Amino acid sequence: MEFGKTYVVRPKGKHQATIVWLHGLGDNGSSSSQLLESLPLPNIKWICPTAPTRPVAVLGGFPCTAWFDVGELSEDGPEDWEGLDASASHIANLLSTEPADVKVGIGGFSMGGATALYSASSFAMGRYGNGIPYSLNLRAVIGLSAWLPGSRSLRNKIEVSHEARRRAASLPILMCHGISDDVVPFKYGEKSAQSLSSAGFRYITFKSYDGIGHYTVPREMDEVCNWLSSRLGLEGYS
């Protein structure tokens, strides 16, 4: 699968953190970069890749940009592990050349958020689903209107390893979800947060928004800014 164009938003102040932001189904990195450019976070460099174009089952096989193939969402629906691993690995590569003193994170909306949360589980386990080591030191993960692929088996995989438990306990995660979401139902976001929490991710913040559907709103992005600046200890945030 060929990934599309990557857009970069440079920090306006001292470079303290780099975050890869992942768009939703059918979107591209350009629209992500426009949203992020407007945020009052001068110390963050944003990297906004574009997903490969692939046939997507939930769209009846219609090809569009997608981080992995997805069918109907269900508790134990078939997951496209190969697609998830390929995207998570591409994202880790984008962050692998950042300076050592720069904190790195991953965030995203909808399917992009699902890929970010999958990266969080790969970080905790120290490997991708295919067994290849995950070497990035993630410091923050954000999932907006998202869900965690493979959430049911996560706890069993993390419980068996002291190192995995330690990594899970060290990683802050922010999840935000509209209660009226008709694309990724609120219960999937809520259950994913519960799965992460019971698997040992201690620093989970889950915010729900009344009357909000499958989209982001300014106060949700305010939450993202506040959370990132406090979790990453950013200077210059006002």
Side-chain angles (χ1 to χ4, degrees):
M1 286 286 171
E2 282 221 7
F3 288 84
K5 190 173 174 192
T6 297
Y7 298 80
V8 176
V9 179
R10 306 247 163 236
K12 297 173 184 74
K14 179 184 169 194
H15 183 197
Q16 290 182 290
T18 298
I19 294 175
V20 168
W21 192 268
L22 307 170
H23 62 74
L25 182 64
D27 210 342
N28 59 61
S30 173
S31 51
S32 303
S33 69
Q34 286 163 26
L35 167 71
L36 299 164
E37 205 159 18
S38 66
L39 300 181
L41 292 166
N43 307 109
I44 293 184
K45 171 183 168 185
W46 300 95
I47 300 177
C48 307
T50 299
T53 298
R54 69 177 87 220
V56 178
V58 76
L59 302 176
F62 184 80
C64 72
T65 53
W67 299 108
F68 53 95
D69 188 19
V70 65
E72 291 300 322
L73 278 188
S74 76
E75 280 296 286
D76 34 20
E79 303 290 1
D80 172 18
W81 301 116
E82 211 174 308
L84 278 160
D85 279 340
S87 286
S89 165
H90 178 70
I91 295 153
N93 282 342
L94 290 174
L95 288 167
S96 64
T97 52
E98 290 303 294
D101 61 340
V102 167
K103 297 167 181 171
V104 298
I106 304 171
F109 172 73
S110 190
M111 169 186 259
T115 309
L117 294 172
Y118 179 73
S119 296
S121 65
S122 301
F123 162 74
M125 290 186 288
R127 57 185 165 73
Y128 297 97
N130 58 19
I132 292 172
Y134 189 92
S135 52
L136 207 59
N137 181 22
L138 275 186
R139 301 294 293 272
V141 168
I142 298 168
L144 307 181
S145 313
W147 74 99
L148 171 66
S151 63
R152 290 186 77 169
S153 58
L154 182 64
R155 183 174 174 175
N156 298 343
K157 289 176 180 166
I158 288 183
E159 271 179 346
V160 294
S161 155
H162 173 73
E163 273 302 292
R165 290 201 308 273
R166 185 186 62 75
R167 281 191 294 264
S170 76
L171 178 64
I173 297 177
L174 172 66
M175 295 178 70
C176 302
H177 217 113
I179 289 174
S180 306
D181 193 325
D182 56 350
V183 178
V184 179
F186 177 77
K187 67 173 182 180
Y188 286 114
E190 195 174 40
K191 280 188 171 158
S192 294
Q194 288 162 356
S195 295
L196 285 159
S197 180
S198 72
F201 287 85
R202 283 183 210 162
Y203 297 110
I204 291 226
T205 305
F206 183 79
K207 298 273 178 185
S208 56
Y209 294 84
D210 276 332
I212 300 298
H214 195 65
Y215 45 83
T216 58
V217 289
R219 64 192 162 108
E220 188 178 37
M221 296 317 290
D222 290 347
E223 186 71 50
V224 167
C225 291
N226 289 329
W227 185 86
L228 277 173
S229 65
S230 68
R231 284 296 177 200
L232 298 178
L234 301 178
E235 299 161 21
Y237 171 70
S238 51

